[in-house]
Amino acid sequence: MPELPEVETVRRGLAPVMEGQVITRAEVNRPNLRWPLPERMAERLTGQQVLALRRRSKYILADLSSGETLLIHLGMSGRMLISGAMVGEFHHDHPALQKHDHVVLHMSGGARITFNDARRFGAMDLMPTATAAAHPLLASIGPEPFGNDFSEPYLAARLKGRNTPIKSALLDQRIVAGLGNIYVCETLFRAGVSPLRLAGKVKKPAALVPIIRQVLTEAIDAGGSSLKDYRQTDGELGYFQKHFQVYGREGQPCETPGCSSMITRTVQSGRSSFWCPDCQR
């Protein structure tokens, strides 16, 4: 499932060809993805200018001139692909539409934005922009990790006295938005904190804030992490997986100088935690 860096990378890729442009034609090729698509979706999108392209947690939000906002969630295999425009240094011609190209947006600048989702775990919805924050998928999400509300005192207060593992606490979207399994594993390794330690027992919880931001920033700069299905808007892979220090490295040597331990894997709440038993306490 794409996490914050992957979604932010996609948003940044889409912004130059969507913001300020008009959706001259929208094609909706099926009635549903993970859930039913909005009624008259193609009609409601066609002719609208994209005023801004935002990200909230793992969701992309396109504010439209109609006063509605298009919510996009990539799910496990969803891709937003650009054609007919310059993406970086390359021009991508329009390919023939494929079986899993479920929503296609033709932009006034000549670009075509195609939402392809083989497994159909992605989602799209339309909602009034003025009340977007109250949408059921967004209402309970905590502060963004790069925002001022996600501060050292805030995180220390939210973790104080919690009897759940720190790994589970950081995955809780009500505490901090957008973090997923990969980046929590990498954060806890850099912080020297075991994923098994209870959140309320972490000695310096405030120290996690700058480490979270550092890990996410590096991942965004690398274009996210491509493990199975994720691609950037130009179809290229993300490369942060080349910098994983623990995630997916079970049985491999810890990279900390002087450490002779191997990375181990522990299952927590159905998810794999990768960590070094010696470096993380």
Side-chain angles (χ1 to χ4, degrees), residues 13 33 41 56 58 63 98 100 135 139 150 213 227 243 257:
L33 293 172
M41 181 176 172
R56 181 70 172 109
K58 303 174 187 180
D63 297 332
Q98 303 297 311
H100 301 296
H135 188 279
F150 185 66
R213 289 173 173 162
L227 299 180
H243 303 286

Side-chain angles (χ1 to χ4, degrees), residues 52-67:
L53 205 63
R54 302 180 284 129
R55 180 194 51 75
R56 181 70 172 109
S57 184
K58 303 174 187 180
Y59 300 91
I60 295 172
L61 304 175
D63 297 332
L64 307 174
S65 55
S66 61

Side-chain angles (χ1 to χ4, degrees), residues 42-261:
E43 178 183 340
R44 291 159 69 182
L45 291 176
T46 297
Q48 303 306 319
Q49 184 182 31
V50 178
L51 303 179
L53 205 63
R54 302 180 284 129
R55 180 194 51 75
R56 181 70 172 109
S57 184
K58 303 174 187 180
Y59 300 91
I60 295 172
L61 304 175
D63 297 332
L64 307 174
S65 55
S66 61
E68 290 191 303
T69 291
L70 173 65
L71 177 148
I72 303 168
H73 188 257
L74 299 175
M76 295 180 68
S77 61
R79 303 176 185 177
M80 299 290 290
L81 301 174
I82 301 171
S83 59
M86 291 295 295
V87 182
E89 300 178 358
F90 304 98
H91 182 277
H92 295 258
D93 294 329
H94 295 313
L97 291 180
Q98 303 297 311
K99 176 181 178 181
H100 301 296
D101 291 345
H102 304 310
V103 178
V104 182
L105 305 177
H106 300 265
M107 309 304 297
S108 57
R112 187 175 84 188
I113 313 300
T114 302
F115 181 78
N116 177 286
D117 187 1
R119 302 184 192 181
R120 300 204 306 274
F121 284 132
M124 287 191 177
D125 201 3
L126 281 166
M127 56 194 173
T129 303
T131 59
H135 188 279
L137 294 175
L138 305 177
S140 63
I141 295 177
E144 292 288 325
F146 291 114
N148 293 333
D149 290 339
F150 185 66
S151 63
E152 285 89 346
Y154 163 83
L155 186 60
R158 290 302 306 267
L159 297 183
K160 185 177 181 179
R162 291 183 68 95
N163 290 320
T164 56
I166 183 62
K167 169 84 178 296
S168 300
L170 293 180
L171 288 175
D172 187 342
Q173 297 298 294
R174 296 169 297 182
I175 293 178
V176 56
L179 290 186
N181 200 32
I182 293 173
Y183 300 109
V184 171
C185 286
E186 294 297 315
T187 291
L188 292 176
F189 175 74
R190 295 190 188 189
V193 176
S194 166
L196 306 180
R197 179 172 288 277
L198 296 181
K201 299 294 185 181
V202 175
K203 293 182 179 179
K204 297 181 179 179
L208 291 169
V209 172
I211 297 174
I212 288 170
R213 289 173 173 162
Q214 179 187 44
V215 168
L216 294 178
T217 297
E218 291 177 12
I220 292 169
D221 290 344
S225 301
S226 291
L227 299 180
K228 291 184 180 179
D229 297 303
Y230 169 70
R231 296 289 188 278
Q232 300 180 58
T233 52
D234 59 359
E236 292 296 315
L237 300 172
Y239 292 100
F240 188 70
Q241 69 274 10
K242 298 181 181 296
H243 303 286
F244 287 168
Q245 292 178 287
V246 288
Y247 189 85
R249 298 189 63 246
E250 179 184 10
Q252 298 181 39
C254 175
E255 295 183 346
T256 301
C259 180
S260 58
S261 289

